[in-house]
Amino acid sequence: MSDPKSAQAEVYPEQSKKENFGLHAGVLGPLETLAQSVSAVAPSTSPSLTIPLVFAIAGNATWLVYLLAMCATLLVGFCVSRFARLSASPGSLYTYTAETLPPMFGAAAAWGLLLAYLATGASVAGGALYYTNVLSQQFLHWSPPAVLALLAVCGAAGLVAYRDVKLSAELMLWIEICSVSLIGIVLTVMPVHFGFHLDMDQFRLRGVSFYALGPAIVLSMFSFVGFESATTLGSEVRNPLRTIPRAVIQSAILAGVFFVLCSYSEVLGFRGESAKLSDTTSPLHLLATKAGVSPLGTAIDFGAFISMVACVLACVTASSRVLLRMARERLLPSILEKTSPQHGTPVAAVVLSTCLVFLPTALMAVRGVSGSDVYDLLGSLSVFGFLTAYALVAAALPFARRARGQHSNLVAIISVMAVLVIIMIAVFDLRSTADVAHARLPYIYLLYISTGLAWYAARRKYFATVNA
């Protein structure tokens, strides 16, 4: 592990020469930085895959659930953005925790964050497989082999992530703009076509069981995870101590407003339909047909597929930076911190990230798990990793500011609130497991994080012996 002086220099970058870790410094502007976080959130996928699942639990309170989830995300985002003003490192949340709390907590944040990005990437790869089958059946009446489709999705994402971080950011930006714009057009056409009126059943929360709101909030949180992934870019961003904090908050707000509007509109749009929102395979396609713009429904399905590929790309980019930082801190083999002089990307880390996204998804597909179930299960697993990293960053923030001589009671209160909200979400998550597969996820995560901490302890002991 790095010595205390070098660790302190990471937290307070103005006190030492900024490290670029072999990455190309200052190549990303504000929009490209925002694109990294927005693509990791993959906003155009939630209206099709996640909102129907939330509706199945929350009913007319779906819009409220997403509003509450946005508030919880903004609490975490506040803590992350305050840290991002102090440090610009490719380790992101791991760096923030490791340089403030005892080393074991830093290791927990590292392993939790790594799993979070990899599981999210694998989850949306499953979502991409789902939409591959939807589109293939619609146009070709045939579905390609699952493993080949996943190999194409993950391979394309890995290749772009290796080639150029600027290219990948610009590509993700335009994909999300086009995809979200198509959804926005459908949501705008609906009230014009049917006449504008308020859905009082939603505002009055008719038929809502408030006991269901907790599990629904847990599920809706998966729509937001990854909103902080701009922090993984570090010095690759121009003026990172200003640009990255803004991107974190902006992505949380933009995604939250979008999800609230989508959830309200989808519930309203399915009034009087024989099919339930929770049962349909492509809700936006159905709403586009109902509004008389059926071609947009197909375009939205295609946009959702491309958006999921962009999300895989964002997760490979983020996880490779976490791997690089972990290798620099000797948590992992040093080969993972090697970067390409030409492309300025961590080659081995990108390759490993791509493989770790592809393999579990392909294995589940071979065993007959559908793309939508892959999206659900691996997405649920990723939430545990994100919650671990979020809670540790929120807990670390007051200590980092005190060490800098910037103690604030308001910041401390918000940090405590964020930690409490995260704990509450974790408790709801543990209590809301409705089937055997989901019930196993907490134990799988505990086994994973315990193994990671044991590995950290063994590596630390080894290097202490070598350096003695």
Side-chain angles (χ1 to χ4, degrees):
M1 300 294 290
S2 59
D3 59 48
K5 290 183 178 180
S6 63
Q8 190 178 32
E10 283 293 335
V11 180
Y12 313 123
E14 74 274 11
Q15 295 179 9
S16 67
K17 184 179 179 180
K18 181 172 63 177
E19 294 186 48
N20 295 331
F21 296 86
L23 305 171
H24 286 170
V27 295
L28 302 178
L31 281 178
E32 295 154 336
T33 306
L34 178 61
Q36 169 64 32
S37 279
V38 171
S39 295
V41 171
S44 58
T45 65
S46 287
S48 297
L49 291 178
T50 309
I51 288 178
L53 297 176
V54 175
F55 173 78
I57 302 174
N60 284 319
T62 302
W63 69 272
L64 177 60
V65 166
Y66 270 98
L67 181 62
L68 294 174
M70 181 177 72
C71 293
T73 302
L74 284 173
L75 278 176
V76 176
F78 174 86
C79 298
V80 173
S81 66
R82 287 302 181 274
F83 251 123
R85 293 180 178 182
L86 304 179
S87 171
S89 168
S92 67
L93 306 191
Y94 160 47
T95 301
Y96 303 158
T97 304
E99 311 301 0
T100 306
L101 298 179
M104 186 65 74
F105 291 101
W111 289 109
L113 192 62
L114 179 62
L115 174 75
Y117 287 133
L118 292 175
T120 299
S123 169
V124 292
L129 174 63
Y130 170 81
Y131 271 101
T132 297
N133 293 332
V134 168
L135 293 168
S136 297
Q137 287 294 335
Q138 183 176 347
F139 291 104
L140 305 175
H141 306 290
W142 167 82
S143 296
V147 174
L148 290 181
L150 290 169
L151 184 62
V153 168
C154 297
L159 181 61
V160 176
Y162 156 73
R163 179 65 180 80
D164 186 356
V165 68
K166 184 175 177 63
L167 170 65
S168 66
E170 291 175 345
L171 184 62
M172 290 186 291
L173 174 64
W174 286 109
I175 287 173
E176 293 302 335
I177 287 176
C178 294
S179 187
V180 170
S181 296
L182 289 173
I183 295 174
I185 292 172
V186 171
L187 298 184
T188 301
V189 168
M190 281 179 57
V192 173
H193 188 80
F194 297 106
F196 181 82
H197 66 278
L198 294 177
D199 187 353
M200 297 311 298
D201 285 348
Q202 291 194 65
F203 287 108
R204 293 170 180 169
L205 306 180
R206 183 178 180 181
V208 173
S209 169
F210 287 93
Y211 292 103
L213 294 186
I217 290 174
V218 172
L219 189 55
S220 67
M221 283 299 296
F222 180 58
S223 295
F224 290 89
V225 294
F227 78 100
E228 79 305 322
S229 66
T231 61
T232 63
L233 299 174
S235 61
E236 293 174 279
V237 177
R238 292 194 296 273
N239 196 3
L241 300 184
R242 175 178 296 181
T243 303
I244 291 176
R246 289 179 177 176
V248 169
I249 297 299
Q250 288 168 351
S251 63
I253 294 175
L254 291 173
V257 171
F258 179 71
F259 293 146
V260 170
L261 292 175
C262 284
S263 56
Y264 172 83
S265 299
E266 287 186 36
V267 174
L268 175 62
F270 270 78
R271 297 286 187 216
E273 288 292 323
S274 57
K276 292 182 178 180
L277 174 58
S278 55
D279 297 332
T280 183
T281 57
S282 186
L284 290 172
H285 195 153
L286 191 150
L287 292 180
T289 302
K290 185 177 179 180
V293 285
S294 182
L296 283 184
T298 301
I300 287 172
D301 286 343
F302 183 75
F305 166 76
I306 298 298
S307 178
M308 288 182 178
V309 177
C311 184
V312 175
L313 170 58
C315 290
V316 168
T317 298
S319 58
S320 65
R321 270 60 178 177
V322 175
L323 285 171
L324 181 152
R325 181 66 187 185
M326 291 174 71
R328 177 62 64 94
E329 295 296 325
R330 297 181 177 181
L331 277 172
L332 292 172
S334 60
I335 190 174
L336 294 173
E337 64 177 303
K338 303 294 183 181
T339 56
S340 166
Q342 179 182 359
H343 302 296
T345 55
V347 181
V350 167
V351 171
L352 180 59
S353 295
T354 304
C355 292
L356 291 177
V357 167
F358 167 74
L359 290 175
T361 317
L363 180 60
M364 294 176 73
V366 168
R367 298 186 63 180
V369 182
S370 67
S372 58
D373 286 339
V374 170
Y375 177 86
D376 180 20
L377 289 170
L378 292 180
S380 299
L381 178 62
S382 75
V383 171
F384 289 104
F386 279 115
L387 291 180
T388 299
Y390 292 166
L392 289 171
V393 166
L397 178 60
F399 297 100
R401 289 181 64 89
R402 184 181 292 274
R404 192 180 176 86
Q406 296 180 350
H407 176 69
S408 167
N409 289 330
L410 177 61
V411 170
I413 291 172
I414 293 176
S415 297
V416 171
M417 289 174 59
V419 172
L420 291 177
V421 167
I422 292 168
I423 292 173
M424 181 182 68
I425 291 172
V427 171
F428 280 134
D429 200 353
L430 293 172
R431 294 181 60 185
S432 63
T433 51
D435 55 72
V436 175
H438 285 85
R440 290 174 179 168
L441 295 180
Y443 299 101
I444 293 173
Y445 180 72
L446 286 175
L447 176 62
Y448 164 83
I449 203 72
S450 299
T451 303
L453 292 177
W455 172 263
Y456 159 76
R459 295 276 290 183
R460 187 178 186 185
K461 182 178 181 180
Y462 168 78
F463 284 109
T465 302
V466 170
N467 295 330

